[in-house]
Amino acid sequence: MGLWEVLRNIWKFVVPYKWLVLLTLTFTFIGSLTAQVNAVVLDRTVDAINSLIGVENFAWSKAARILTIITIVLLGKEVLSALISFGQKYFGERMRIMVSKDMSQAVIEKMLTFRMAFFTANGNEPGKLQTRINRGVDSLSMTVKNFFIDLLPMFTSAILALVLMFAANVYVGLTALCIVPLYFLITWLQAKKLSGWRRQMRSFHEQKSNGIMNIIESINVIKSFNRERIEGDKQLDLQNRLTDNQMQTRKTSFLFDGLKSFVEQIGTVLIIILTAYLVLSGYPGMSIGKIMYHVMLFSNVSAPIKQLQRIFDDMNEALVYAEGFFEILDSDEDKEPLGSYKPEKIEGKFEIRNVDFTYPNGNKALHDISMSISPGKITAFVGLSGAGKSTIVNLLDKFYEPDSGSITLDGVDLKDYDTQFLRENIGLVLQKNHIFEGSIEDNIKYGNPSATHAEVLLAAKKAYLYDQVMALPEKFQTKATLLSGGQQQRVAIARMFLKNPPIIFLDEPTASLDAVATEQIKNSIDAIKQNRTVIIISHNISQIIDSDVIYALKNGHVEQGGAPDDVYKQGGIYKEIFDASARSLNVEKIARTLSE
Ligand code: ADP
């Protein structure tokens, strides 16, 4: 992405604050004018004092007048400068912060519209995305300030100082003018040399923050296996590469900085020598005061140009991060397909016909799947782990779209359904459900934000959670993240009861529940299956045999389908799983124990 493209993209974020930009620019302009005052005052003072000393009728009154004027002018200028500097910094920073806020919000809102495939794609891991967004916002908002606020006044100040130098003497002006391009050239070479390393640095930063996130998320596994050293070493390799890169960047920067400093000093020396020569040779208009005057003006020319390096640096960083950032912000291909069909009522009959599906990473998970799922019945998906059961649910929830084939709900293609409306009518309970920061009540209310307290309590009762929560000191106001795995599972089930949708997908909903809770939840689910479509994925054989229809899956294929008893009689994968479950349950011994 080139600079102009970046600026064009940034522009829409700046427009709402154009008055703030204008105000800051005005302050900075006045600031760059007042910056020249010292040079002018010094020039006049030296000459005025020079003309006073060595004269026979030296008068203190004249000297006092000069000193008074200098004091008033310089003090007045400092007061003005302080006010201007405050205004410039305050309004400039305010604009940067506002733009930064708008950019962050825009990217968050955009990301929320993305389809699931975006989040599971390679390179979009949470830590990487976070770094890309944070660094993108920081560097782009800095560019806004650099470009729309700092750059223009800086050049004005430099040009003004240069014009004053030319006005004082053409040769002095020319000398300064020769140094400037040299300075630009070095700055440009420096930026060019650094840009490759910066790109690498971006990738290192993304990997680093993703690594830290992974460690925090899996800390209990790391500790239980004593793998602290290994995890530490994994990060060390990255840190070393990052450090190498940083050292290279710094070395290059310092070398170029030294070179620029040298060129600047050469410029100052040349100007001193030239002006001294002109004064000594009695060049018209040249006096001792001009030596200081020219040196100060030259520093006014070089100071802003020195700052240019910082702006170049920031801008190069922005160019590196802008790509990743605007890729997210401007991407429409990652947007979730919305659809517009909103029927009055959903019956809940799914027809899946010849569906193939491949995950974004190229993993083909489903092959030629066909099945019917009817309302008023419990349909169970059976199969070994990785068979594709959850993937089918993902497709039915419109998280992903099939590669080929069709999925219809009540005869209408799922693609045509208004996505939000569809999900409003689907309750999804997973094996591991996300519990948000906040109270148990808030977490249950996620199923229906407008539910009353009484409704929340009722849902908790249906999920067999109520008694346990009431035993806690803060009851429903307890932090939900403190609950045990099984209790969190019930929060998720309560959430679904509160949502009360006509379609329910349960992906191993009782996996982390004890036997008593499993039985209770099973009863609750049986009670709500009336007039609803319920799909259950379970390894729990008692749940499976109670379902009305089962589909047995193997390696992404539907192997068998029908009533559980009929399918069992056919043999095949279902019988294998069923028999293995019975053996692992030790059914014979259980039967013996029960009969004693
Ligand atoms: P099941 O629910 O039957 O255990 P899944 O539907 O979760 O199986 O997985 C089916 C296949 O798809 C597996 O090979 C799994 O590794 C793969 N898979 C699941 N989720 C993803 C994903 N987000 N990206 C890539 N592959 C995935």
Side-chain angles (χ1 to χ4, degrees):
M1 195 177 253
L3 179 61
W4 287 118
E5 210 177 332
V6 172
L7 288 177
R8 209 164 36 90
N9 276 307
I10 291 179
W11 180 242
K12 56 178 174 287
F13 288 99
V14 179
V15 171
Y17 304 107
K18 52 182 184 295
W19 293 114
L20 218 49
V21 175
L22 223 57
L23 190 66
T24 319
L25 270 180
T26 314
F27 275 118
T28 327
F29 258 133
I30 305 173
S32 59
L33 289 181
T34 55
Q36 318 298 333
V37 170
N38 277 7
V40 177
V41 169
L42 206 72
D43 171 38
R44 296 286 155 85
T45 312
V46 172
D47 286 349
I49 291 178
N50 226 7
S51 66
L52 279 183
I53 51 177
V55 185
E56 275 184 20
N57 51 350
F58 173 76
W60 269 111
S61 61
K62 276 190 181 168
R65 208 175 132 249
I66 293 170
L67 290 177
T68 315
I69 293 173
I70 298 171
T71 313
I72 292 171
V73 172
L74 289 185
L75 274 183
K77 178 234 153 190
E78 284 313 320
V79 171
L80 192 65
S81 283
L83 288 175
I84 287 168
S85 163
F86 170 80
Q88 184 217 354
K89 282 188 188 148
Y90 177 73
F91 292 112
E93 196 55 13
R94 193 183 156 99
M95 187 209 62
R96 193 188 65 75
I97 291 172
M98 299 304 249
V99 167
S100 157
K101 178 200 81 178
D102 290 355
M103 282 183 167
S104 301
Q105 190 57 25
V107 80
I108 290 169
E109 283 177 15
K110 184 80 189 197
M111 227 169 35
L112 283 168
T113 67
F114 284 174
R115 58 175 96 201
M116 213 64 142
F118 172 84
F119 298 94
T120 49
N122 282 343
N124 285 349
E125 292 83 351
K128 290 187 180 175
L129 270 182
Q130 186 197 33
T131 312
R132 204 175 310 157
I133 291 171
N134 283 347
R135 295 223 162 216
V137 169
D138 284 352
S139 61
L140 286 171
S141 63
M142 207 58 194
T143 302
V144 167
K145 183 166 174 293
N146 284 337
F147 218 84
F148 294 98
I149 291 190
D150 291 351
L151 210 58
L152 196 59
M154 248 172 53
F155 273 102
T156 322
S157 182
I159 289 168
L160 194 65
L162 207 58
V163 168
L164 286 176
M165 286 180 97
F166 267 101
N169 185 279
V170 177
Y171 300 112
V172 176
L174 279 176
T175 311
L177 195 60
C178 288
I179 301 288
V180 174
L182 200 58
Y183 210 92
F184 268 115
L185 179 71
I186 300 172
T187 308
W188 181 72
L189 285 175
Q190 181 175 10
K192 219 172 101 176
K193 204 152 175 69
L194 289 177
S195 71
W197 279 319
R198 284 225 165 77
R199 226 166 268 275
Q200 234 181 13
M201 180 79 87
R202 167 189 145 180
S203 147
F204 288 149
H205 278 304
E206 288 186 2
Q207 289 176 40
K208 186 175 165 180
S209 70
N210 200 40
I212 295 173
M213 267 197 165
N214 279 340
I215 288 182
I216 296 172
E217 277 171 7
S218 47
I219 191 70
N220 49 359
V221 182
I222 296 173
K223 286 200 173 292
S224 70
F225 282 92
N226 287 330
R227 294 294 178 261
E228 289 90 340
R229 191 63 268 148
I230 291 182
E231 290 300 325
D233 287 348
K234 268 195 216 160
Q235 296 303 311
L236 183 64
D237 179 49
L238 181 67
Q239 300 279 8
N240 283 339
R241 282 185 294 152
L242 184 79
T243 317
D244 280 351
N245 182 306
Q246 277 172 324
M247 288 317 296
Q248 288 285 3
T249 321
R250 295 294 184 281
K251 196 169 93 187
T252 312
S253 285
F254 294 152
L255 265 172
F256 276 96
D257 287 349
L259 196 62
K260 280 187 298 187
S261 206
F262 180 70
V263 169
E264 190 194 352
Q265 287 312 314
I266 294 282
T268 311
V269 170
L270 280 179
I271 281 171
I272 293 175
I273 293 173
L274 182 64
T275 317
Y277 170 77
L278 292 173
V279 174
L280 289 173
S281 57
Y283 197 87
M286 282 292 145
S287 57
I288 297 278
K290 288 289 182 287
I291 296 182
M292 286 304 284
Y293 181 54
H294 290 164
V295 169
M296 286 187 89
L297 284 180
F298 184 63
S299 84
N300 280 357
V301 175
S302 64
I305 294 173
K306 248 193 280 181
Q307 284 227 32
L308 199 64
Q309 173 58 39
R310 177 183 61 75
I311 294 186
F312 245 82
D313 265 358
D314 286 349
M315 238 181 269
N316 274 304
E317 181 147 330
L319 287 182
V320 170
Y321 283 104
E323 267 165 43
F325 183 81
F326 286 115
E327 239 171 51
I328 300 178
L329 202 63
D330 296 336
S331 161
D332 278 330
E333 68 208 56
D334 285 318
K335 256 185 155 169
E336 215 163 27
L338 291 177
S340 59
Y341 181 61
K342 285 189 192 183
E344 287 245 318
K345 186 171 180 303
I346 286 192
E347 297 298 332
K349 183 166 177 54
F350 284 103
E351 286 288 348
I352 306 181
R353 286 288 155 256
N354 310 104
V355 161
D356 280 352
F357 174 70
T358 314
Y359 276 106
N361 69 350
N363 192 358
K364 184 148 188 186
L366 299 180
H367 305 263
D368 197 22
I369 297 281
S370 294
M371 53 172 76
S372 305
I373 294 152
S374 309
K377 287 185 179 161
I378 296 186
T379 306
F381 292 167
V382 189
L384 302 179
S385 288
K389 305 181 294 291
S390 309
T391 305
I392 297 180
V393 166
N394 280 339
L395 295 190
L396 295 181
D397 218 342
K398 223 174 151 184
F399 286 152
Y400 298 92
E401 279 174 63
D403 306 342
S404 59
S406 73
I407 304 178
T408 58
L409 171 60
D410 298 339
V412 177
D413 198 311
L414 218 52
K415 271 194 254 161
D416 299 332
Y417 273 87
D418 178 304
T419 306
Q420 289 208 327
F421 171 82
L422 178 77
R423 295 198 187 133
E424 208 46 60
N425 284 285
I426 296 178
L428 180 64
V429 177
L430 301 171
Q431 184 180 2
K432 193 162 178 358
N433 293 279
H434 192 76
I435 296 296
F436 295 94
E437 278 296 323
S439 68
I440 299 176
E441 175 153 4
D442 289 344
N443 264 279
I444 296 178
K445 258 190 161 175
Y446 210 77
N448 177 7
S450 57
T452 62
H453 181 63
E455 285 166 336
V456 170
L457 298 190
L458 188 66
K461 278 181 188 153
K462 284 190 199 162
Y464 292 93
L465 180 67
Y466 181 80
D467 294 338
Q468 292 194 6
V469 173
M470 291 312 274
L472 297 170
E474 289 178 77
K475 305 198 165 60
F476 276 84
Q477 298 316 313
T478 312
K479 254 177 93 169
T481 42
L482 299 179
L483 294 173
S484 74
Q487 289 167 331
Q488 292 190 357
Q489 183 81 29
R490 289 182 227 203
V491 169
I493 293 171
R495 226 183 243 166
M496 184 205 62
F497 281 126
L498 193 64
K499 189 175 178 182
N500 196 21
I503 300 169
I504 293 173
F505 299 149
L506 305 157
D507 193 345
E508 299 188 40
T510 53
S512 45
L513 297 185
D514 53 68
V516 175
T518 303
E519 193 190 7
Q520 293 169 339
I521 296 291
K522 190 172 158 305
N523 294 339
S524 300
I525 292 170
D526 286 343
I528 61 163
K529 79 167 185 182
Q530 249 55 48
N531 303 321
R532 279 176 227 261
T533 305
V534 180
I535 295 180
I536 186 159
I537 297 174
S538 178
H539 293 298
N540 185 324
I541 210 73
S542 69
Q543 252 164 8
I544 297 169
I545 51 181
D546 260 1
S547 56
D548 303 292
V549 181
I550 65 161
Y551 285 102
L553 287 121
K554 190 175 173 184
N555 299 333
H557 296 271
V558 177
E559 295 276 312
Q560 295 170 294
D565 290 346
D566 299 342
V567 176
Y568 183 81
K569 284 180 203 138
Q570 291 168 10
I573 182 78
Y574 178 59
K575 184 171 182 326
E576 270 174 45
I577 294 174
F578 191 99
D579 292 348
S581 285
R583 280 195 301 277
S584 72
L585 273 177
N586 214 344
V587 175
E588 280 176 29
K589 229 176 176 174
I590 293 176
R592 223 181 304 144
T593 310
L594 288 175
S595 62
E596 273 164 15

